[in-house]
Amino acid sequence: MLFAFLVLDRLHNCHSFSHSRGITGRKRLIVAPLESSTLSATAAAQVKQQQTLYRKDYKEPAHWVTDVSLSFQFYKEKTLVKSKITIHANENHNLECDNLILNGDIELLNLISLSIGDHTLVPEKDYTLMNDKLMIESSSLYKDSARSELEIVIELDPRTNKNLQGLYYRDGMYCTHCEPTGFSKISFFPDRPDNCATFHRVYLEADKEMYPILLSNGNLIEQGVVSDDETRHYVIYQDPLPKPCYLFACVIAGNNYNRMSDVYTTKSGRHVNINLYWEKDQKLKMNFAINTIKNAMRWDEETYGLEYDADTYTVVAAEHYSIGAMENKGLNIFKTSLIATDPSCTTDVTYDVVEKTIAHEYFHNWSGNRVTVRDWFEFTLKEGLTVYRDQEFTSDIGLKVATRIESVKLLREKQFVEDAALTRQPIRPESYDGTEHSLDVIATSTTYHKGAEVFRMYKTILTKKGFRDGISLYMERHDGRGATCDDFHKAMADSNPDVDLSQFKLWYSKSGTPIVSYSKFQIDNKFQIDLSQQIPGNDETLLHIPVAIGLMDKTTGEEVVPTTVLNLKERSQTFVFEDLKGDVVPSILRDFSAPIILQPMANNEKLSESEEEEHLSFLAMYDTDGFNKWESMQTLLTRYIFSLVNGEDNQARKELILKAIGENLRDETFDPSSKARILSLPTELALTRDVKKDLDPVKLFQARKKAMNEIAVEFVEDFKSRYDELSPVIISTTDSDITSAPSRANRALRNVYLEYLCSLDEPEHVKMAGELALKHFDNAVCFNDQFLAFRYLASMSVHATEARTEMISKFYDLAKSNGNAQILNKWFQIQALNDDLSRVQALTQIPDFKANNAGNFRALITSFTLNSRSFHTENGYKFIGDIIRQMDKRSPILAVELANKFCKWPIYEKKYADLMKQELLKISMLKPISKSLQATVSRALPKDYGQSSGTTRGMGPAASKKAKKGKKKKAGKKGFS
């Protein structure tokens, strides 16, 4: 499963798994309280809902379910679900209570009947329902056989299931989502991932005109018309491989879906039918998706020898599927925006995200499905491992350095923050709140992204061959079962007996970002580097940290020692390189070989700031490791931009940067995508990541703009000539090649050149750049280049007014002619990011803007808060504060999103911080105010803030007259539409 927040522009809006209790008034089977039943106290303890779950408490169930037969009959007012499950006692079970416990949401499931063979089970005597558990007495299970077949008949109404878990109805479609415990909202079952059963028969029946599409996991073995009702049809699916119930899926859809099919031939010669379904009203296509699926299938065969195992691979796209994407065995379900694309309206960044997401869900077929997890504590075993696999896939198709850079940026922006929090958890937590079976605390950037880094380190330590051998053994040992991180570690260790991995296992259980300090010096032909490690707040733990290093000749720039992995296991270790023929410059932590913070020791060789920056410039020019080359350039640029903010003398630093930029322009070693990132300036977001206080956002914006302009002035002829060299290659791209990785890479590099040219502010240069951007738009072979032409031209100086006005009109016409709401949203977004407040205010009043449309709102209003020049003013803050107060009545979620912009006041200079706190105070006096907004504002404001002025926070009955008067005064003010 890949949450939307993990892939869409790195938005952190993790979906909650909490249950809703929405069905009332339905006839229920009345069950006596547990205390009055015949069950023992031990049994009562088993069904008592736990507040906290602990990994150490794992126990196998008393009974296994091995075979499942399901039948679904869909009617307008209800759905009838019949399940037959084969049960046998667990021979390894040694608990005092051996009753069968099945999970089931008793608010959603109307139990019609329960039987074993010819015997109908009797409430209280044979079974008890309580606390979302169905408990069957062991004495009722087995009569003359070691196995029993339990039949459960359920009636439920998917239309009333509003939380999108289990079986629900939305937008004319019946759909399922069962991870982590959604199956218990469909029928009673041991809803735990270690119970892998074979779903040998799934029968789906529905009205054939209303719902012609009937889909489930596995292979379609039969279909036809219902014999006694010709208006209805049915299908039967068989999934021959065992799986946990969270991977079950079915989709019942109407005529409003397109279908696209293709065939993939596996390495062994088997033919796999690939089917993709998506809504007809979506003006998007599946060509890119189907090609990505086939590429992922081929890559998994070639890289790990893992072949797809069924006759059919099906994907359904639905816009309502807010979870992101789910890897149900053989029937993946996606949010439409994460799989459907079209060059006429999809940016290259979105293609990157879609490619990664499709690959991720396919790779789960083995890492997560064929071999699943024993329990949810092991969540990183399927998600972290699969994130690593999808990163390697996108790397191997031609985006190696770019993929690594983006992965590390996301890790630092999200996971390092989690690791620094008081609530931090290791990648495999020891406990979590299990009251609502919630995975919120587990499905985090830590389990996904730090988990991926841990699995990457196995490969770094063991080499490519050693890692593949370990993967093969892991899959062989645990196919069809739930595994643990310990099982994975043992497979790696057993496959590589010459490598001591005993200490590496600690990565699973230790939280926090390790700090590795280094000191280095060279005497004649020997180079020495000392490394030490520490985890903040944990002085005792010593991890096995692979630190990749290379040495570059200081005179020639040639690599004299290729990438070598130093295995840091002690508190401090010394590593020596001998027989060197000259002075060297080290490149440390190549390819970001471990998820750590690297810093020099206090006793490091005493380099002046200028000497240290000469080393950075050297690495930015000559390092053969693409990641470290980019890292060195970003560090230099960041220092330079902040020196501009502080008004420091910058000439020497500027010369080093220009020298490095020039060398990288000439260097043809790296692919265009990597080169594009190496030449790019850090974003404002990246620049502020480590700022804790006294930030002046306007000065930072101006400094970054000045730095870009200075680079552009120096290399204007180079940028223009290289732009012109790439243009015929890009313009002549065939339709079939537009979305390929090499084409996207070429566009990325040419667009970097265009962005620099559009930063020029001399009138003659502005005229050239404005005309070039318009031509870039007109000759674009895809939407990506149209969008970036608009974006860069919109950011130009006032001298480009005429070209800007023409571009705004062109892009608006494109949006209207295409009829795609996303293009119109980008029209709003680019203006919000670059224009004055008056223009943004005017846009809120045009008919195309609908404040109740979340896409419109975020594109214009939320984007405006990223416009440093216009947002960070008294009027800019007041504009957003007024909107928060208006939106809280309509959408508290959007109001809170905006309020969070003011909640960051502690990092800003006093003049900005004071204005932000004033707006927060005004918001706190709103009446009425939503609980979520009130909580957000209360946490952000200092204690007792504003009380000295006679105002009252939190508009209850004691609200001040002044606040009420202000409220009344604004009542007649017109808001946006």
Side-chain angles (χ1 to χ4, degrees):
M1 175 175 62
L2 205 56
F3 287 105
F5 85 94
L6 295 166
V7 288
L8 279 178
D9 201 26
R10 301 192 291 275
L11 294 177
H12 195 54
N13 55 352
C14 184
H15 176 80
S16 172
F17 284 101
S18 59
H19 295 183
S20 74
R21 306 295 184 189
I23 301 181
T24 57
R26 184 131 34 103
K27 182 179 179 181
R28 291 278 169 222
L29 178 64
I30 306 300
V31 182
L34 189 62
E35 288 77 5
S36 63
S37 74
T38 58
L39 297 178
S40 67
T42 305
Q46 275 189 272
V47 298
K48 183 178 180 180
Q49 195 155 7
Q50 293 180 321
Q51 298 299 310
T52 302
L53 303 178
Y54 295 93
R55 189 174 72 88
K56 64 182 176 59
D57 292 339
Y58 170 81
K59 293 180 177 63
E60 291 184 350
H63 308 268
W64 294 113
V65 172
T66 56
D67 294 281
V68 181
S69 173
L70 289 172
S71 170
F72 293 83
Q73 293 174 288
F74 294 89
Y75 300 95
K76 185 175 181 179
E77 301 298 333
K78 65 180 181 180
T79 296
L80 195 65
V81 181
K82 298 179 182 178
S83 62
K84 292 183 179 180
I85 58 176
T86 301
I87 306 160
H88 71 83
N90 181 358
E91 296 177 356
N92 298 324
H93 183 73
N94 58 5
L95 294 180
E96 179 183 340
C97 177
D98 58 357
N99 297 313
L100 173 65
I101 298 177
L102 303 178
N103 307 95
D105 189 327
I106 61 176
E107 292 295 322
L108 289 175
L109 307 180
N110 186 11
L111 181 60
I112 304 299
S113 66
L114 194 63
S115 60
I116 295 178
D118 296 332
H119 175 60
T120 299
L121 301 187
V122 179
E124 295 190 53
K125 177 184 177 183
D126 297 317
Y127 69 90
T128 300
L129 274 173
M130 189 175 181
N131 294 332
D132 288 344
K133 299 283 195 303
L134 169 63
M135 179 178 290
I136 302 176
E137 288 279 356
S138 57
S139 59
S140 302
L141 288 175
Y142 308 109
K143 299 299 182 182
D144 302 321
S145 172
R147 293 174 179 263
S148 288
E149 187 174 83
L150 175 66
E151 182 176 289
I152 308 169
V153 181
I154 297 290
E155 182 183 291
L156 51 83
D157 185 358
R159 294 171 186 265
T160 62
N161 183 0
K162 302 300 183 183
N163 70 351
L164 308 188
Q165 282 273 306
L167 176 64
Y168 62 90
Y169 180 86
R170 183 78 177 267
D171 298 339
M173 167 197 282
Y174 291 94
C175 187
T176 59
H177 180 74
C178 294
E179 187 178 16
T181 55
F183 196 85
S184 61
K185 296 178 180 293
I186 297 174
S187 184
F188 291 99
F189 198 83
D191 203 345
R192 44 189 294 165
D194 59 347
N195 193 126
C196 295
T198 302
F199 287 64
H200 66 270
R201 185 180 188 274
V202 175
Y203 175 91
L204 306 175
E205 179 192 310
D207 185 287
K208 67 180 181 181
E209 289 190 9
M210 291 184 65
Y211 302 107
I213 300 172
L214 308 176
L215 304 171
S216 191
N217 316 82
N219 303 316
L220 178 63
I221 60 173
E222 186 180 330
Q223 60 184 325
V225 176
V226 176
S227 58
D228 58 353
D229 188 347
E230 294 185 356
T231 67
R232 299 176 64 79
H233 68 141
Y234 73 91
V235 295
I236 300 176
Y237 284 88
Q238 182 183 76
D239 193 351
L241 297 170
K243 64 173 179 280
C245 64
Y246 82 85
L247 293 174
F248 169 78
C250 69
V251 171
I252 315 301
N255 289 304
N256 61 323
Y257 272 75
N258 295 304
R259 173 181 169 177
M260 182 177 184
S261 300
D262 204 342
V263 176
Y264 174 77
T265 303
T266 67
K267 196 172 182 179
S268 66
R270 292 177 52 256
H271 299 302
V272 179
N273 296 310
I274 303 172
N275 298 306
L276 288 87
Y277 297 83
W278 74 106
E279 293 141 308
K280 289 181 179 178
D281 60 354
Q282 295 287 334
K283 297 183 179 181
L284 298 167
K285 301 173 184 177
M286 287 290 185
N287 305 68
F288 181 76
I290 214 159
N291 287 333
T292 300
I293 291 170
K294 293 166 75 173
N295 290 338
M297 288 179 167
R298 186 176 302 109
W299 182 88
D300 222 11
E301 291 176 350
E302 294 172 351
T303 307
Y304 293 111
L306 301 176
E307 187 174 299
Y308 187 66
D309 45 34
D311 299 335
T312 304
Y313 185 78
T314 302
V315 179
V316 176
E319 190 55 36
H320 73 258
Y321 200 71
S322 60
I323 194 69
M326 180 62 201
E327 71 269 17
N328 315 297
K329 186 74 174 73
L331 177 55
N332 291 180
I333 304 176
F334 280 67
K335 184 174 178 61
T336 304
S337 57
L338 288 175
I339 188 168
T341 59
D342 192 303
S344 68
C345 58
T346 303
T347 65
D348 285 352
V349 169
T350 302
Y351 274 113
D352 292 343
V353 168
V354 167
E355 188 169 55
K356 171 187 176 66
T357 308
I358 292 171
H360 182 95
E361 301 310 325
Y362 173 73
F363 294 146
H364 267 312
N365 185 62
W366 279 93
S367 53
N369 295 2
R370 286 287 291 265
V371 180
T372 188
V373 292
R374 186 193 71 180
D375 53 54
W376 296 117
F377 293 100
E378 312 290 342
F379 192 71
T380 195
L381 181 58
K382 76 182 189 75
E383 294 300 343
L385 177 57
T386 306
V387 167
Y388 169 64
R389 278 157 45 73
D390 76 53
Q391 290 173 356
E392 290 299 279
F393 167 73
T394 54
S395 176
D396 287 349
I397 63 172
L399 302 172
K400 179 176 175 58
V401 176
T403 297
R404 192 66 187 129
I405 289 170
E406 294 305 318
S407 299
V408 175
K409 284 167 65 177
L410 182 57
L411 183 80
R412 287 170 169 169
E413 290 171 11
K414 299 298 181 186
Q415 197 283 318
F416 277 22
V417 174
E418 291 181 2
D419 252 355
L422 294 175
T423 55
R424 68 191 187 195
Q425 291 266 26
I427 64 169
R428 181 176 65 180
E430 295 300 320
S431 66
Y432 69 93
D433 181 3
T435 303
E436 294 290 341
H437 308 287
S438 173
L439 283 185
D440 292 351
V441 73
I442 292 180
T444 62
S445 184
T446 296
T447 49
Y448 279 85
H449 302 123
K450 187 176 182 178
E453 295 299 313
V454 171
F455 292 109
R456 177 184 295 274
M457 286 189 288
Y458 275 113
K459 183 179 176 182
T460 301
I461 294 168
L462 300 175
T463 74
K464 183 177 181 179
K465 181 183 182 304
F467 186 71
R468 171 166 176 163
D469 290 345
I471 286 285
S472 297
L473 183 59
Y474 169 70
M475 297 297 180
E476 178 186 334
R477 282 177 174 176
H478 304 286
D479 190 8
R481 299 196 294 114
T484 66
C485 292
D486 296 328
D487 294 328
F488 185 90
H489 182 84
K490 190 172 189 309
M492 288 291 155
D494 290 351
S495 298
N496 298 272
D498 296 334
V499 181
D500 180 10
L501 289 174
S502 56
Q503 196 172 333
F504 187 82
K505 195 174 180 180
L506 290 172
W507 279 99
Y508 292 127
S509 57
K510 299 302 176 183
S511 62
T513 304
I515 296 174
V516 171
S517 302
Y518 69 91
S519 67
K520 55 186 174 63
F521 62 88
Q522 183 173 0
I523 300 177
D524 298 329
N525 65 342
K526 291 184 179 181
F527 175 83
Q528 177 176 313
I529 183 167
D530 299 321
L531 299 175
S532 67
Q533 61 166 299
Q534 180 182 7
I535 301 178
N538 192 333
D539 294 333
E540 301 302 320
T541 300
L542 294 176
L543 297 172
H544 179 173
I545 303 175
V547 180
I549 185 174
L551 300 181
M552 314 293 296
D553 187 285
K554 191 173 183 178
T555 303
T556 65
E558 297 294 320
E559 184 177 70
V560 294
V561 175
T563 301
T564 302
V565 177
L566 309 179
N567 290 289
L568 175 61
K569 298 182 178 181
E570 305 297 330
R571 177 69 64 203
S572 298
Q573 282 177 252
T574 297
F575 302 89
V576 178
F577 296 85
E578 299 182 334
D579 300 325
L580 302 174
K581 296 181 180 180
D583 290 344
V584 296
V585 176
S587 170
I588 310 172
L589 201 65
R590 283 188 155 185
D591 205 36
F592 200 71
S593 58
I596 63 171
I597 296 171
L598 183 69
Q599 64 182 29
M601 290 183 190
N603 64 344
N604 190 31
E605 59 179 345
K606 298 300 181 181
L607 294 178
S608 66
E609 186 177 75
S610 61
E611 288 175 321
E612 183 184 356
E613 290 178 355
E614 284 178 4
H615 280 200
L616 287 171
S617 179
F618 179 91
L619 292 173
M621 289 189 289
Y622 302 118
D623 203 333
T624 57
D625 181 75
F627 178 84
N628 272 11
K629 178 186 274 279
W630 168 83
E631 182 95 306
S632 299
M633 181 68 82
Q634 292 289 294
T635 303
L636 267 180
L637 287 165
T638 298
R639 291 184 180 186
Y640 180 62
I641 291 169
F642 276 104
S643 69
L644 289 174
V645 171
N646 298 326
E648 299 171 2
D649 179 24
N650 302 289
Q651 193 56 37
R653 191 175 278 150
K654 176 180 173 181
E655 292 301 323
L656 288 174
I657 289 173
L658 295 178
K659 187 178 178 182
I661 292 283
E663 184 64 32
N664 278 286
L665 279 171
R666 294 184 292 271
D667 186 1
E668 302 299 330
T669 305
F670 292 96
D671 67 275
S673 181
S674 305
K675 197 168 184 176
R677 282 162 175 80
I678 291 166
L679 292 172
S680 294
L681 266 67
T683 64
E684 286 183 66
L685 176 64
L687 288 166
T688 59
R689 189 185 67 221
D690 296 324
V691 176
K692 305 300 182 187
K693 63 178 182 177
D694 297 331
L695 172 65
D696 187 323
V698 177
K699 283 186 179 179
L700 181 64
F701 165 78
Q702 293 168 341
R704 184 182 182 277
K705 191 176 182 67
K706 186 175 191 296
M708 177 167 276
N709 173 262
E710 289 174 344
I711 295 170
V713 168
E714 180 71 19
F715 296 104
V716 57
E717 299 302 329
D718 291 275
F719 289 150
K720 180 63 169 64
S721 64
R722 291 173 188 278
Y723 176 96
D724 290 340
E725 287 174 10
L726 281 170
S727 290
V729 176
I730 292 171
I731 293 171
S732 63
T733 305
T734 61
D735 289 346
S736 61
D737 199 40
I738 284 176
T739 61
S740 69
S743 293
R744 298 190 329 254
N746 282 332
R747 288 196 293 270
L749 182 56
R750 189 176 72 142
N751 284 319
V752 167
Y753 297 146
L754 179 63
E755 182 179 17
Y756 272 114
L757 292 170
C758 286
S759 72
L760 294 163
D761 56 10
E762 290 297 322
E764 67 272 18
H765 288 152
V766 169
K767 186 175 186 300
M768 175 273 294
E771 292 174 351
L772 188 65
L774 287 169
K775 185 178 179 181
H776 193 90
F777 181 95
D778 291 337
N779 294 336
V781 296
C782 61
F783 174 71
N784 181 76
D785 282 0
Q786 293 173 316
F787 169 66
L788 291 178
F790 179 32
R791 174 180 165 183
Y792 299 148
L793 183 51
S795 69
M796 288 180 67
S797 72
V798 293
H799 299 295
T801 302
E802 185 177 333
R804 279 179 98 255
T805 302
E806 183 178 350
M807 180 66 82
I808 289 171
S809 178
K810 280 176 176 284
F811 201 88
Y812 179 81
D813 291 342
L814 173 68
K816 301 302 283 187
S817 63
N818 190 289
N820 187 293
Q822 296 303 315
I823 298 180
L824 184 62
N825 283 340
K826 292 191 182 301
W827 182 77
F828 283 122
Q829 178 192 43
I830 294 305
Q831 293 177 85
L833 289 170
N834 294 281
D835 272 316
D836 293 331
L837 173 61
S838 59
R839 172 61 177 170
V840 175
Q841 288 174 318
L843 287 172
T844 66
Q845 300 301 319
I846 69 172
D848 290 303
F849 178 76
K850 303 290 188 295
N852 289 333
N853 181 304
N856 277 182
F857 185 89
R858 290 190 173 106
L860 183 63
I861 306 302
T862 307
S863 294
F864 175 72
T865 64
L866 301 176
N867 181 340
S868 296
R869 180 174 57 88
S870 299
F871 170 58
H872 290 288
T873 64
E874 184 174 0
N875 288 334
Y877 291 166
K878 184 178 183 300
F879 171 66
I880 292 300
D882 288 342
I883 289 176
I884 291 170
R885 289 185 283 276
Q886 293 179 55
M887 286 304 294
D888 193 45
K889 301 185 184 92
R890 308 184 193 181
S891 174
I893 292 175
L894 293 176
V896 168
E897 281 183 19
L898 284 184
N900 279 326
K901 305 296 182 178
F902 292 138
C903 295
K904 297 177 181 178
W905 65 263
I907 73 169
Y908 291 101
E909 274 193 0
K910 186 177 185 303
K911 63 181 179 181
Y912 300 106
D914 286 347
L915 290 171
M916 289 182 174
K917 286 185 286 186
Q918 288 173 24
E919 289 302 324
L920 288 171
L921 183 61
K922 293 177 190 175
I923 294 167
S924 74
M925 295 187 295
L926 181 63
K927 182 182 179 181
I929 185 171
S930 67
K931 290 182 179 179
S932 55
L933 182 59
Q934 186 176 40
T936 299
V937 173
S938 296
R939 284 194 299 266
L941 279 172
K943 187 177 181 181
D944 299 331
Y945 179 79
Q947 291 188 6
S948 60
S949 63
T951 57
T952 304
R953 288 168 54 185
M955 286 291 285
S960 69
K961 293 180 180 180
K962 181 179 178 181
K964 290 181 178 180
K965 183 178 179 181
K967 177 80 175 179
K968 191 175 290 185
K969 185 178 179 180
K970 293 180 181 178
K973 183 177 179 179
K974 181 182 178 183
F976 45 58
S977 57

